[in-house]
Structure formats: structure tokens, C-alpha cells
Amino acid sequence: MDRVFRMLSFWTGIFAVMFYVGHMEAMAYLFLAQTIFFLGIGFLKLSERMYIYLFAAYCTVFFVGFTFYSNFILVPGFGH
């Protein structure tokens, strides 16, 4: 299970680089923070149950944050 988190850190690192190349620095820093988080968790050698709990907590924080952002901060039609 620790390899899954290292794989997640690899892909979030790829996304961070792509966002940085695309001049989206704020999103690149967000994904860099996720990369560091996943890489750190991936080397802790926790039990499989604990990895599942951490991923569930990560998903909960993401969904709550994304819902808050899309409902209260995002301006509709900002791309036009």
C-alpha cells in the first residue's frame, strides 16, 4: 500500500510540473504540497488500514474544500 502513495506522489509531481510550465503557479504549489505529503506518507511503512484511513481523510478534505470553493469562491463564466 505504501507504493500506491508513492505512485500518487509521482503523478501529483507530474501535474505540478505541468501546471508550472503552463504558468499556473498557485496550482503548481498546491500539487507540489500534495506530492510532498504523499511521498512522506509513502515511506512511513504504516499498516494497510492506516493507509486507507489516511486516504479517506484526504478525500474528505478534498471534497469539502472543492465544494466550498465551487459554491462560494468560484465566479461562474470567468473564462469568457
Side-chain angles (χ1 to χ4, degrees):
M1 197 69 174
D2 54 344
R3 286 196 248 165
V4 172
F5 276 85
R6 284 182 277 190
M7 181 264 314
L8 283 171
S9 72
F10 170 77
W11 284 111
T12 54
I14 294 295
F15 273 81
V17 169
M18 292 297 183
F19 282 129
Y20 188 75
V21 169
H23 304 291
M24 303 166 95
E25 283 83 12
M27 195 64 118
Y29 296 140
L30 178 67
F31 271 78
L32 182 64
Q34 290 182 39
T35 300
I36 294 167
F37 171 74
F38 285 141
L39 194 61
I41 296 297
F43 284 108
L44 285 181
K45 300 289 186 191
L46 301 172
S47 68
E48 214 166 308
R49 179 178 289 189
M50 193 61 185
Y51 279 121
I52 295 296
Y53 287 156
L54 282 170
F55 188 69
Y58 169 78
C59 285
T60 302
V61 168
F62 170 77
F63 289 137
V64 168
F66 182 75
T67 303
F68 179 80
Y69 174 78
S70 62
N71 282 326
F72 300 113
I73 297 175
L74 181 69
V75 178
F78 66 91
H80 297 286

